[in-house]
Amino acid sequence: MLTNDQSDIDNLTDAVGRTIGEIEKVIVGKREAVEMAVTALLCRGHCLIEDVPGVGKTMLARALAVATGGTFKRIQCTPDLLPSDITGTSIYNQGTTEFEFRRGPVFANIVLADEINRATPKTQSALLECMEESQVTVDGVAHTLPAPFFVIATGNSVEMAGTYLLPEAQLDRFLLRIRIGYPLKHEEVAVLERQVLHHPITEVRPVLDPTQLRHLQDAVRRVFIKPGLKDYIVDVVAATRDHESVALGASPRGSLNLMHAAQGWAAIRGRDHVITDDVKALAGPVVGHRLLLKPEARHRGVTSEAVVDDILRRLPVPGHIR
């Protein structure tokens, strides 16, 4: 297994720090949420942000896109959005007497699917192939998406009218789920002060380009993780399948995503190896949205995050990896 030297990690940490600094020109006081979004990008995953309206979900996505220097497209999800509106379609050209493929907005480095739960399940599923295979198949022809390719989707967790639940298969494609939450009073005052004359999104500047970002993604995959920690990750995910409140636990994709997310979390903290705390910090955001709770558990107010926390409390950490 290839590993990083300390200079690689130092360069990654510096690049991530500059990226987060640009994003925090817009997002105030939500360092952990910003770090998790950056982690998802570094791990070649995708990110789902679920929260109430107005807390900065869309601004986080826009600022991340600008700071990383890639192409950016926004898809405003509505009930009448069609799959071809996302992927593109073939159009007959009378001049050449041939069909030409017109690319949809998914052909970008960073794609914001805004209020994804307002799109119909058929349209939501159009993103499945894109997110899993980084390609689009239209009329039997596969079209490769740009690299890096990152989907950051937002969902309104309050308004249920006119929304559709995301299919379990699609939820499983998101590396992690983030909740931003309301700001503290002094943070909200800072938001007001920054927007007296103009929106701070205009001040965000690119600090990376797609080539540099791909190098950082490669460096994250080389972060060392002990065999014992891999066992612990599998034990955590396997425990979701036997938990008394869970009808359907996380799949092996959950284990794989938790390992990769822990590598990213370690890297942005300046370490070339994963520790147990990295796994514990990412377990809820990575595994929680993959769980299907039993109806009686939902009626008792049990949440998927509470289930993961319960598993982490119950499951002993092997002494040789502490």
Side-chain angles (χ1 to χ4, degrees):
M1 176 181 177
L2 294 175
T3 58
N4 298 297
D5 58 34
Q6 190 56 46
S7 63
D8 292 330
I9 294 298
D10 291 343
N11 290 337
L12 187 151
T13 305
D14 175 68
V16 169
R18 289 185 285 115
T19 301
I20 290 175
E22 292 297 316
I23 296 171
E24 288 186 328
K25 291 179 181 179
V26 179
I27 305 298
V28 179
K30 299 299 177 184
R31 182 65 176 244
E32 184 173 287
V34 173
E35 287 181 339
M36 286 194 176
V38 172
T39 296
L41 177 59
L42 290 175
C43 296
R44 299 191 181 98
H46 306 287
C47 178
L48 175 64
I49 307 177
E50 287 186 345
D51 218 316
V52 298
V55 294
K57 301 187 297 295
T58 303
M59 282 298 108
L60 173 56
R62 287 184 59 188
L64 180 61
V66 175
T68 52
T71 55
F72 173 69
K73 294 290 180 66
R74 173 177 175 171
I75 301 170
Q76 186 60 54
C77 297
T78 57
D80 60 349
L81 189 72
L82 299 175
S84 59
D85 295 331
I86 294 176
T87 61
T89 187
S90 296
I91 297 177
Y92 183 72
N93 187 322
Q94 292 184 335
T96 62
T97 67
E98 295 180 347
F99 282 93
E100 296 179 352
F101 178 64
R102 301 290 178 87
R103 294 182 172 190
V106 77
F107 284 85
N109 294 122
I110 295 184
V111 176
L112 168 62
D114 210 5
E115 294 197 274
I116 190 173
N117 55 340
R118 292 200 179 279
T120 62
K122 183 177 182 180
T123 301
Q124 291 172 5
S125 66
L127 284 170
L128 278 176
E129 182 185 13
C130 307
M131 296 169 67
E132 184 65 18
E133 302 178 30
S134 295
Q135 70 174 27
V136 168
T137 302
V138 177
D139 297 331
V141 179
H143 303 272
T144 302
L145 295 171
F149 175 69
F150 178 60
V151 173
I152 182 166
T154 69
N156 187 334
S157 61
V158 178
E159 296 180 40
M160 292 296 103
T163 64
Y164 303 85
L165 293 176
L166 291 179
E168 298 299 325
Q170 179 149 9
L171 282 172
D172 202 33
R173 262 64 176 188
F174 287 102
L175 178 77
L176 49 79
R177 178 176 61 184
I178 298 173
R179 290 191 171 95
I180 297 177
Y182 289 117
L184 300 175
K185 180 179 179 180
H186 72 275
E187 294 168 348
E188 194 162 354
V189 171
V191 171
L192 301 184
E193 291 175 345
R194 293 185 185 190
Q195 298 193 37
V196 171
L197 298 178
H198 60 273
H199 199 290
I201 190 67
T202 60
E203 300 175 1
V204 179
R205 297 291 180 264
V207 295
L208 296 174
D209 61 42
T211 300
Q212 292 171 322
L213 180 54
R214 289 198 297 272
H215 289 325
L216 296 180
Q217 290 174 331
D218 292 339
V220 165
R221 288 295 173 91
R222 295 194 296 268
V223 170
F224 178 72
I225 179 167
K226 294 179 182 178
L229 265 180
K230 295 175 185 176
D231 290 340
Y232 179 64
I233 287 171
V234 171
D235 288 342
V236 170
V237 173
T240 66
R241 303 163 195 164
D242 300 322
H243 195 277
E244 59 271 17
S245 297
V246 177
L248 181 65
S251 71
R253 184 183 283 117
S255 301
L256 186 61
N257 284 177
L258 182 52
M259 180 185 72
H260 287 156
Q263 287 177 299
W265 198 248
I268 67 176
R269 276 155 177 72
R271 282 185 274 103
D272 63 355
H273 62 282
V274 177
I275 62 175
T276 308
D277 286 347
D278 299 325
V279 176
K280 290 184 174 182
L282 274 296
V286 172
V287 178
H289 62 285
R290 305 171 196 272
L291 307 183
L292 181 62
L293 300 181
K294 294 177 179 177
E296 57 268 28
R298 293 199 302 270
H299 292 156
R300 295 197 310 270
V302 175
T303 64
S304 56
E305 289 81 2
V307 169
V308 176
D309 288 343
D310 183 52
I311 289 172
L312 293 177
R313 283 194 302 270
R314 292 186 191 182
L315 193 65
V317 178
H320 65 285
I321 63 170
R322 287 178 183 170

